Amino acid sequence: MKVKDYISQTGFDGALLALTPLPLYFAFLGISGIPSLWRLLLGAAAVLSCFICSLTLFKKPKVGKILGAFTAVASVVAGFPFISTDPYAAFLGAIGLISIAFLLFNLQIDSEKIDAEIIRKNKPGIRLQKTWWAFLIVVLSTGIIFILESSLQVATIWIILASFLISHIIFIHWAVKTAHKNYLILSGIGILAVIATILFSSIKNIPGIVLVINIMGVFGLPRSGNTFKNNEHWWEILLNHPARIMLTTFLFLCVSGSLLLILPFATTAGAIEVVDAVFTSVSAVCVTGLIVLDTPNDFSFFGQFFIIILIQLGGLGIMSITTVALHKLGRRLSLKQERLLTQMTDTDHKDLVHSLATILKFTFAAEAIGAFLLVFLFYGSGDSFLTAVWRGIFTAISAFCNAGFALQSDSLVSYQNNPYILHIVSTLIIFGGIAPATSLLIPRWISGKSIPIPATIALFTTIILLVSGTVFILAFEYNGVLSGLSLGDKIQNAWFQSATLRTAGFNSVGIDKITSPTFLIMISYMFIGGSPGGTAGGIKTTTLGVLVMTFWANITNKNDVIIKNRRIHHDSIFQAVTVIASGFIFWFVAVMMLEITQQIPSRDGIFETTSALGTVGLSTGATGMLDEIGKVVIIVTMFVGRIGPITLFMLLSDDKTPPPSKCPDTKISLT
C-alpha cells in the first residue's frame, strides 16, 4: 500500500468516532417521548459497537468490519418502527446500509506493509484526515436528520451536539499536535458559539449552528496532508477519474437546475414544491423528459429557458463545452485532464480538442437547421411568430439531445397529421441518439468506405431497431392508437414512435392506450436505448450488437466473435454482459420499490421505470400519480440511467492489467 493511500484510509476512524452517538438517534426516531426499552438497548449497543469499531478497524480489520456491520444493522432495527412507515426514511435507510456495506467490505487495509517510521512521519497528515472526515460526517448526518424530521426532538439535538463535540475534540487534537494556533482559536470560537446558543437562545438553533460551523471546517482545512495530493485543490478527488467526473458534473447540474427552478419567476404560480423542482431538473439534465408539471403552462419563459439550458448542458456534457471554451480562450489543459477527457469522450488524445470542437459544431449546426425549419412549420400551423420561434428552438434542442420536453401539453399529438414536423424531429432524434461523431461518418459509410467497427455496429443496430420498431408498432396498433389515420399517416407515426423509443420521449399518439404487444416492444427498445457518445440513454446499441454477435458465434460453434476480420476481445463481451446485468438489477429494484410504495398498476410502474432508466420520457400517465417517495425513486432511476452504464464501463476499464489467473479451468453445465 502507498503511504498516501494509507493516510487517506485512516480518515475513516475519525468518521466513525464522530458517528458514535448517532445510532442512538434511531431509537428516538418517530417518537416524542422515551422509546421502548428494547430500542434504547439496541441503540446503546450500536453506539458501543461503533466506538469499538473506530478503535479496532485499522488494528484488527476483521473485527472492526464485523462491528461496523453490526452497528449499521442494529441502528436500522432500532429505528424500524418509524422506517417501515416513512418512505423517505426507508429510502435513505436502504441507501445507508448499501453504502456502509460497500465501504466496509471494499476497504483494503494492509497497514502492516507500511514502515512504522513512515507512519510516524505522516502522523500530522493522518490526524488531519481524521479531522476532515469527522467534520464531513457531522455535516452529512445532520443534513439527513433535517430531511427526516421537520421538527427536531430535544434528544436528537443533544445527539447532534455530541457528534459535533467529538469532531472538534479530534480537530483540537490535530491543531495542538501540529501547533496550528489559528485553527485552535477558530475551533474555540465555534464551541463558544454553540455554548452561547444554549445559554442565550433556543436549543433548537443548535443543529443549524453545528451545520454551518462544520461546513466551514470541511472547506477551511488545509489541503496538505489530507485526502488530496499536495498542490491540488480539495475538489480534485472528485475530478481525478472519468467516472467521478461524470457523477460530479451531472450532480452539480442537477443541484444547480433545482435551485434555478425554485426561483419565484421560474414558474407561473410563483413557487413549486422542492421535489417537483428537483424532478424537473434531473429529468432535463439527464435528458429524460418525464414531467410532473406541465412545461408550457406551469413554467414561465425563464423557467423554460432554464430547462432548455439544462438539457443542452446535460446532453452535450459540460466538460466537453468547457474544454473547447478554455481552448478558445487560450487556456491549456494539463496532461492528466486531457487523459481523463480522452477516456470520457472516447477520442484520440492527440486530437481531443479538435474532435470535441467538431462534435459541438455539428451539434449546434444540426440544432440550428432543425430550429429554422420547425419555426416555419409551427408558424404555418397557427402559432404567432414569436411563439413559433421559441417552440422551434426549444423543440430542436430537446429533440437532438433526446430530452423529450415539449412546449405543447400533448407533446406532438396535435401534429400527428403533419409529416414534416414528425420527420424533422425524428431525424434530430436519430442523429443525436447515434452520436455526432458517428453521424459525421455516415457519408463515408454510405459511399462504401471503411469506418471504425464501433460505428459500424452502432449504425447497423440502429437501422434494424428503427425499421423493426416501425413494423411492430404499425402491425400491433393498426387498429389501435393509429386507427383513424390514413395509411400514410399510420406509417409516419409508427416511424416517429419507433425513433422516439431511442430515448427521446416525444409522442404523437396516446401512449396510455397502447396494446400489450406494443407495450412489450416499447419497454424492450427503451431499455436498449441509443449509441455510445450520443445523447441517448439505455444500455446502448453497441452492447446489444456485441451480445447478438456473441450469441451467433456460440450457436454456430465458432471460437471467436469476428467482425470485419477483427476479433472482439473477451473484455468487451464481459463488459457488455455486466452492463446489461447491472441495468436489469437496478430496473428490478426500482420496479419493486414502486410496487411497494405506490398505488399504481404494475403495467404503468414497469413502463415508468423503464422509461426513466432508459432516459426516454414516455409515460402512460403514471408520473402524475406518484407521491413524493415515488418521485424520489424515479429521480434516482433517471440519474442512474444517464450516468450508470457509462460510469460502470469506465470503472471496469482499469488501466492496470491484473496478472493472469493460475487457477485450473472448470466446466459448468448451462443446459
Side-chain angles (χ1 to χ4, degrees):
M1 174 186 285
K2 296 180 180 178
V3 176
K4 63 181 180 64
D5 295 330
Y6 173 70
I7 294 175
S8 176
Q9 285 190 2
T10 51
F12 286 112
D13 56 0
L16 289 169
L17 275 172
L19 273 174
T20 297
L22 289 171
L24 198 59
Y25 163 73
F26 288 88
F28 289 88
L29 194 60
I31 60 173
S32 56
I34 303 298
S36 58
L37 181 61
W38 73 269
R39 293 182 70 178
L40 274 176
L41 290 175
L42 203 56
V47 168
L48 180 62
S49 176
C50 186
F51 177 71
I52 299 175
C53 175
S54 67
L55 300 179
T56 59
L57 185 61
F58 287 91
K59 296 178 180 178
K60 296 183 180 295
K62 290 183 179 179
V63 175
K65 289 182 178 183
I66 292 172
L67 290 171
F70 173 79
T71 300
V73 174
S75 299
V76 172
V77 173
F80 188 76
F82 175 75
I83 292 174
S84 61
T85 60
D86 186 273
Y88 274 119
F91 185 69
L92 291 173
I95 292 177
L97 274 178
I98 294 170
S99 301
I100 291 171
F102 178 82
L103 286 173
L104 284 175
F105 294 101
N106 284 278
L107 188 63
Q108 301 297 324
I109 302 171
D110 50 359
S111 58
E112 294 180 357
K113 296 182 180 180
I114 302 294
D115 185 82
E117 180 66 18
I118 295 176
I119 294 177
R120 187 186 64 78
K121 290 181 179 179
N122 285 277
K123 276 289 185 183
I126 293 172
R127 293 191 183 105
L128 181 55
Q129 266 295 94
K130 293 179 180 180
T131 303
W132 189 86
W133 277 104
F135 278 177
L136 180 64
I137 206 67
V138 172
V139 171
L140 293 176
S141 59
T142 305
I144 291 173
I145 289 173
F146 273 129
I147 294 174
L148 292 178
E149 295 189 51
S150 56
S151 179
L152 300 184
Q153 304 176 53
V154 175
T156 301
I157 294 173
W158 285 111
I159 289 170
I160 292 174
L161 182 59
S163 289
F164 168 80
L165 291 176
I166 291 173
S167 69
H168 276 261
I169 289 172
I170 298 171
F171 182 33
I172 291 170
H173 181 252
W174 164 75
V176 169
K177 290 293 184 179
T178 54
H180 279 79
K181 295 181 180 179
N182 293 335
Y183 286 102
L184 197 60
I185 294 171
L186 290 175
S187 178
I189 293 173
I191 294 174
L192 288 175
V194 172
I195 295 173
T197 303
I198 297 173
L199 296 176
F200 304 108
S201 182
S202 172
I203 193 175
K204 294 183 179 180
N205 294 328
I206 288 178
I209 298 294
V210 166
L211 195 61
V212 171
I213 292 173
N214 274 48
I215 288 176
M216 293 173 63
V218 168
F219 291 98
L221 284 172
R223 297 193 304 267
S224 179
N226 64 1
T227 305
F228 322 111
K229 301 176 184 178
N230 293 334
N231 303 320
E232 289 186 343
H233 297 288
W234 62 267
W235 57 80
E236 292 203 18
I237 190 174
L238 299 175
L239 302 177
N240 60 5
H241 187 280
R244 287 196 285 269
I245 292 177
M246 188 71 67
L247 177 68
T248 305
T249 53
F250 274 98
L251 186 61
F252 171 77
L253 284 176
C254 290
V255 173
S256 302
S258 302
L259 296 175
L260 289 173
L261 295 176
I262 290 175
L263 296 174
F265 58 83
T267 56
T268 54
I272 59 174
E273 296 292 333
V274 174
V275 68
D276 292 338
V278 174
F279 191 102
T280 306
S281 174
V282 173
S283 183
V285 171
C286 298
V287 291
T288 303
L290 289 173
I291 56 173
V292 289
L293 297 172
D294 189 16
T295 307
N297 294 321
D298 292 332
F299 289 99
S300 64
F301 170 78
F302 292 103
Q304 295 169 11
F305 179 75
F306 293 152
I307 289 172
I308 203 62
I309 292 298
L310 293 173
I311 289 171
Q312 187 74 87
L313 293 176
L316 284 178
I318 189 172
M319 296 302 293
S320 299
I321 298 173
T322 303
T323 300
V324 177
L326 288 175
H327 180 73
K328 294 298 182 182
L329 292 173
R331 297 282 300 276
R332 294 194 62 180
L333 299 176
S334 66
L335 292 176
K336 179 180 179 181
Q337 291 169 330
E338 287 191 5
R339 180 180 62 82
L340 292 172
L341 282 170
T342 299
Q343 289 180 286
M344 286 180 60
T345 56
D346 194 24
T347 52
D348 187 359
H349 176 74
K350 297 179 181 179
D351 298 323
L352 172 64
V353 175
H354 175 73
S355 299
L356 293 179
T358 302
I359 290 172
L360 294 184
K361 289 176 183 178
F362 176 83
T363 298
F364 294 139
E367 291 174 349
I369 294 171
F372 178 79
L373 296 174
L374 287 173
V375 166
F376 286 98
L377 291 171
F378 285 139
Y379 181 70
S381 298
D383 291 341
S384 66
F385 182 71
L386 291 179
T387 300
V389 169
W390 180 230
R391 281 187 173 177
I393 295 172
F394 191 100
T395 305
I397 296 175
S398 181
F400 188 86
C401 292
N402 280 217
F405 279 84
L407 292 183
Q408 299 86 5
S409 298
D410 62 352
S411 190
L412 297 180
V413 174
S414 54
Y415 302 104
Q416 62 182 200
N417 299 115
N418 191 325
Y420 300 107
I421 291 178
L422 296 183
H423 285 299
I424 290 172
V425 172
S426 62
T427 301
L428 289 170
I429 291 170
I430 293 168
F431 279 117
I434 62 175
T438 304
S439 300
L440 292 169
L441 295 172
I442 291 178
R444 289 177 54 87
W445 187 56
I446 294 176
S447 63
K449 297 180 180 178
S450 178
I451 63 174
I453 291 176
T456 303
I457 297 174
L459 289 172
F460 267 115
T461 308
T462 297
I463 291 174
I464 292 171
L465 291 173
L466 285 171
V467 174
S468 62
T470 303
V471 172
F472 284 134
I473 293 173
L474 182 63
F476 297 141
E477 298 298 333
Y478 193 88
N479 294 316
V481 295
L482 297 177
S483 63
L485 299 175
S486 66
L487 178 60
D489 285 338
K490 286 181 178 180
I491 295 173
Q492 289 168 129
N493 279 270
W495 167 264
F496 181 81
Q497 288 306 144
S498 178
T500 200
L501 287 177
R502 317 313 314 292
T503 83
F506 292 99
N507 62 286
S508 60
V509 295
I511 302 299
D512 57 325
K513 300 176 182 178
I514 58 173
T515 61
S516 295
T518 307
F519 170 82
L520 294 174
I521 291 296
M522 282 189 167
I523 62 172
S524 300
Y525 281 39
M526 288 191 298
F527 189 77
I528 296 169
S531 301
T535 55
I539 61 169
K540 308 301 181 188
T541 53
T542 48
T543 301
L544 177 67
V546 168
L547 286 183
V548 169
M549 288 187 289
T550 303
F551 167 78
W552 184 253
N554 273 277
I555 64 173
T556 54
N557 201 28
K558 294 180 180 177
N559 294 326
D560 296 313
V561 181
I562 306 295
I563 178 173
K564 297 174 68 173
N565 295 322
R566 293 290 187 273
R567 182 174 65 90
I568 296 179
H569 197 273
H570 64 270
D571 287 348
S572 297
I573 298 173
F574 293 159
Q575 288 165 354
V577 172
T578 305
V579 167
I580 288 184
S582 62
F584 177 77
I585 291 170
F586 191 89
W587 173 86
F588 182 80
V589 172
V591 169
M592 286 298 295
M593 292 184 71
L594 286 185
E595 287 290 313
I596 294 169
T597 62
Q598 305 301 299
Q599 299 298 318
I600 59 176
S602 298
R603 171 187 167 113
D604 293 338
I606 291 172
F607 195 95
E608 198 80 4
T609 303
T610 311
S611 180
L613 188 62
T615 69
V616 181
L618 293 175
S619 177
T620 56
T623 314
M625 297 186 287
L626 299 174
D627 60 18
E628 289 186 343
I629 187 61
K631 292 175 183 177
V632 171
V633 172
I634 296 300
I635 286 170
V636 175
T637 305
M638 290 189 293
F639 190 81
V640 171
R642 182 65 174 114
I643 70 161
I646 303 173
T647 304
L648 177 62
F649 183 84
M650 287 187 291
L651 288 173
L652 291 172
S653 300
D654 196 349
D655 292 336
K656 299 177 181 178
T657 303
S661 173
K662 297 181 180 179
C663 300
D665 295 337
T666 187
K667 188 174 182 180
I668 300 175
S669 177
L670 299 176
T671 58

